Amino acid sequence: MKTRITIAAIAGVLAFSASAAPQTFDFKDPKGVNNAVFKLDAPLEAINGSASGISGTVTYDAANPGATKGKIVIAADTLQLPNPMMKEHLQSGQWLDVKQFPTITFEAKKLENVKADSGNCTASASGTLTIHGVSKEVTVPVKLTYLKDKLKARTHSTDGDLLVIRSNFTVKRSDYGINPKAPEESVSDTIEISLSIAGASPKS
């Protein structure tokens, strides 16, 4: 009887280890739903836009979310504004210069202050944020939601798991050399960024 219990316990540990192995999630979304929203709220004018060209991979372990690492990439030429002329200016050499600097990236190196509960995890993600060819070490708040066996509910065709990442943070336009001479009463130096993206880990 004791032997059977021991074998069952070992089997349970092995099963848990297998199910809790690190997974790689792909954030290139064929539906085009993943997006980053940005806002510059100056006294004379508020500018709101979004970007949908998101890709990258993140390695996540449900049993050890603090070990999460990965890189999220935004195609700079997918940044959109309601006004076509403002969009043209934003992507020009005077502002983001998307031809010379085609991507905006955040490479997460470590998670700190991790609090995990029932598939949800909040933490501070430290890593390198690169905008307009300028790289800065930053720490941003993140919320990770692990959704086991929910990929098919999103794609209607593929079995697997989902990892949803949400984050809200600010950066300084001048820190990244984005037209630093622009008057702040018209174009805020503070850029508010909101990220809401889902990555897929299909079952083989």
Side-chain angles (χ1 to χ4, degrees):
M1 182 67 178
K2 185 177 181 180
T3 302
R4 289 179 182 176
I5 293 174
T6 301
I7 293 173
I10 293 173
V13 170
L14 292 174
F16 175 79
S17 299
S19 64
Q23 295 174 256
T24 298
F25 291 84
D26 184 354
F27 283 82
K28 187 173 178 59
D29 180 16
K31 294 181 66 176
V33 176
N34 283 346
N35 69 89
V37 176
F38 61 94
K39 179 178 181 180
L40 295 85
D41 193 4
L44 295 181
E45 190 169 30
I47 300 172
N48 298 275
S50 63
S52 58
I54 296 174
S55 60
T57 59
V58 171
T59 300
Y60 178 82
D61 185 346
N64 184 21
T68 300
K69 292 183 179 180
K71 186 176 184 179
I72 299 299
V73 180
I74 300 175
D77 63 1
T78 68
L79 271 72
Q80 302 289 331
L81 289 168
N83 184 306
M85 185 175 291
M86 292 176 68
K87 174 186 173 182
E88 184 178 343
H89 288 167
L90 176 68
Q91 297 188 3
S92 71
Q94 188 177 10
W95 292 86
L96 284 177
D97 196 354
V98 300
K99 291 184 178 179
Q100 184 176 355
F101 307 110
T103 60
I104 297 168
T105 64
F106 177 66
E107 184 172 2
K109 298 176 181 178
K110 64 179 179 179
L111 262 61
E112 298 178 310
N113 304 317
V114 178
K115 297 179 181 178
D117 179 37
S118 301
N120 291 314
C121 166
T122 60
S124 299
S126 297
T128 305
L129 178 64
T130 301
I131 306 174
H132 195 233
V134 178
S135 297
K136 298 280 186 180
E137 297 303 306
V138 300
T139 300
V140 301
V142 295
K143 180 180 179 180
L144 310 177
T145 303
Y146 174 63
L147 299 170
K148 186 171 177 59
D149 297 325
K150 290 297 183 180
L151 179 57
K152 194 168 186 176
R154 182 179 174 91
T155 64
H156 306 295
S157 60
T158 307
D159 290 323
D161 304 331
L162 284 172
L163 180 67
V164 179
I165 299 178
R166 295 181 177 89
S167 182
N168 295 280
F169 59 98
T170 62
V171 298
K172 293 292 187 181
R173 175 171 53 83
S174 55
D175 286 347
Y176 293 89
I178 304 171
N179 198 358
K181 294 182 179 180
E184 290 188 32
E185 63 177 6
S186 299
V187 185
S188 174
D189 189 39
T190 300
I191 306 173
E192 302 173 30
I193 299 174
S194 178
L195 192 69
S196 180
I197 56 178
S201 178
K203 288 184 177 178
S204 56

